[in-house]
Amino acid sequence: MGGKGHIFRKKLFQVGSEYKWLGNSGELKEITLEKRTGVTKELIEKRIKLVTTGIDYHLGHRNCEHFAYFVTGNMPRSDQSIWHMFTDHDPFNIQPMINNFDQLREALLRSKHCGPVGLSRGDFENAVFVSQLDDGYYTYHLSHPLGGQHLYITTVEKAKNFESSYNSIVLAYFGAFFGRGEIFSIVRQLRGC
């Protein structure tokens, strides 16, 4: 909760036709919700090395079920969370979360298909709140009907004061048809998913 995920390795012991693991007090415990995958230890270790460092545990997007599926070479999913249905990426090998304005600016400047877009009151009004950065900025995203993706960064929350927030936009970047994936990637980093 609110921190990094931790990986624990437990040695399994065969008891009859089942496997059990050794608890901290020395007793053998049953494996709950056991599901055999048939993958090799080498594949699991290879997939663990693919996990990007600096990515936080997230109950909805990167929980233990997501990790178990990912390291066994399957599409990450979680029966206890439906959020995986709204993502199109592996949750353990993306960039760490964007937390402040400087990190966001660097991510935007690295994007090939991003640039300033003319501010439209209607577009900004329809933009959806994404996140509040640690240094107080508010980010909004618009999926434009014509295929472009707009990203707005303001110093005032739109819900509290629309006029002031519209007048305080410090960056307005767009993703053209070919650059929409870059904007989606940045939005995911802003959301931490």
Side-chain angles (χ1 to χ4, degrees):
M1 295 298 289
K4 304 290 183 184
H6 298 279
I7 301 169
F8 294 97
R9 294 177 185 238
K10 297 288 184 179
K11 186 175 181 180
L12 300 183
F13 297 89
Q14 190 166 4
V15 180
S17 61
E18 298 181 343
Y19 284 86
K20 297 189 176 184
W21 61 279
L22 192 64
N24 294 333
S25 57
E27 76 283 8
L28 288 174
K29 294 188 172 186
E30 291 191 12
I31 301 172
T32 56
L33 300 176
E34 179 183 4
K35 184 176 180 182
R36 293 287 166 178
T37 62
V39 299
T40 64
K41 177 183 174 183
E42 289 74 26
L43 174 64
I44 293 175
E45 290 179 344
K46 180 180 178 182
R47 291 305 294 255
I48 288 175
K49 289 179 182 176
L50 291 177
V51 175
T52 304
T53 58
I55 293 180
D56 288 340
Y57 171 87
H58 190 286
L59 181 62
H61 304 287
R62 288 184 296 274
N63 63 39
C64 54
E65 280 187 288
H66 291 113
F67 180 80
Y69 277 107
F70 179 78
V71 300
T72 52
N74 294 287
M75 183 66 183
R77 62 185 300 275
S78 170
D79 291 337
Q80 65 183 342
S81 168
I82 63 169
W83 287 105
H84 63 274
M85 297 171 61
F86 302 99
T87 60
D88 58 356
H89 64 285
D90 289 334
F92 295 100
N93 57 11
I94 60 171
Q95 294 297 318
M97 186 173 179
I98 294 175
N99 294 300
N100 57 55
F101 181 77
D102 287 339
Q103 292 172 347
L104 175 57
R105 181 176 56 193
E106 288 176 14
L108 289 169
L109 291 174
R110 284 195 303 268
S111 301
K112 295 178 182 177
H113 300 283
C114 285
V117 63
L119 295 180
S120 162
R121 182 181 296 272
D123 285 346
F124 178 62
E125 190 168 6
N126 292 325
V128 177
F129 175 75
V130 175
S131 68
Q132 181 180 5
L133 301 177
D134 291 345
D135 43 8
Y137 291 94
Y138 300 89
T139 60
Y140 298 90
H141 173 250
L142 172 73
S143 186
H144 200 276
L146 299 177
Q149 306 298 316
H150 296 193
L151 188 65
Y152 302 101
I153 302 92
T154 72
T155 56
V156 180
E157 187 180 3
K158 185 170 73 166
K160 290 186 177 178
N161 192 322
F162 178 82
E163 289 300 322
S164 295
S165 59
Y166 180 71
N167 292 327
S168 72
I169 293 177
V170 290
L171 280 178
Y173 268 68
F174 75 101
F177 183 76
F178 293 103
R180 61 185 304 179
E182 293 181 324
I183 292 293
F184 282 145
S185 174
I186 291 172
V187 169
R188 286 196 294 262
Q189 286 178 252
L190 286 164
R191 286 179 175 154
C193 62

